[in-house]
Amino acid sequence: MARGGAVQSKVHFKGKSDDFLVFVDDVEAYKKWLSDKSVPLVEFVSTFSIYLTHNQGVTGTYDTASKSSLDNEFGTHVDTDVITKILEKGTLQESQFAERQGFRNDSNGPLIAN
């Protein structure tokens, strides 16, 4: 049975002092929102959390951004305001996870009846 094969979408914003990320569930709704702001954020934003990667781009360790880092970069720490700025000025990054095959628990030993 194949597992994995999921797509992860995030918007990356390169700030003055750090890189910020917001995860997106529905890419089509996000693209529609870019031209039509009447689309609610809850339709495509995965979680209302902002992550930073300590200048490591989209591949670094994701830490939750502190209020002070948001204030320093965006002038506010209100989640919806910061997420809106990241979505407007950031770039969409999509990555495909490979499917994987195999047993779920190899410690079960051979699955052959005696």
Side-chain angles (χ1 to χ4, degrees), residues 65-80:
S66 65
K67 289 182 179 181
S68 63
S69 65
L70 296 176
D71 280 329
N72 290 338
E73 186 67 40
F74 301 100
T76 182
H77 62 268
V78 178
D79 290 348
T80 53

Side-chain angles (χ1 to χ4, degrees), residues 18-76:
D18 259 319
D19 292 352
F20 296 88
L21 296 174
V22 172
F23 287 93
V24 173
D25 282 338
D26 188 351
V27 175
E28 294 304 317
Y30 166 64
K31 290 178 180 177
K32 182 178 177 187
W33 176 86
L34 287 173
S35 60
D36 177 15
K37 299 295 191 257
S38 68
V39 176
L41 293 176
V42 296
E43 294 218 1
F44 62 89
V45 173
S46 179
T47 63
F48 281 80
S49 298
I50 300 129
Y51 299 94
L52 54 90
T53 63
H54 308 288
N55 288 326
Q56 296 179 3
V58 294
T59 59
T61 303
Y62 302 158
D63 291 327
T64 304
S66 65
K67 289 182 179 181
S68 63
S69 65
L70 296 176
D71 280 329
N72 290 338
E73 186 67 40
F74 301 100
T76 182

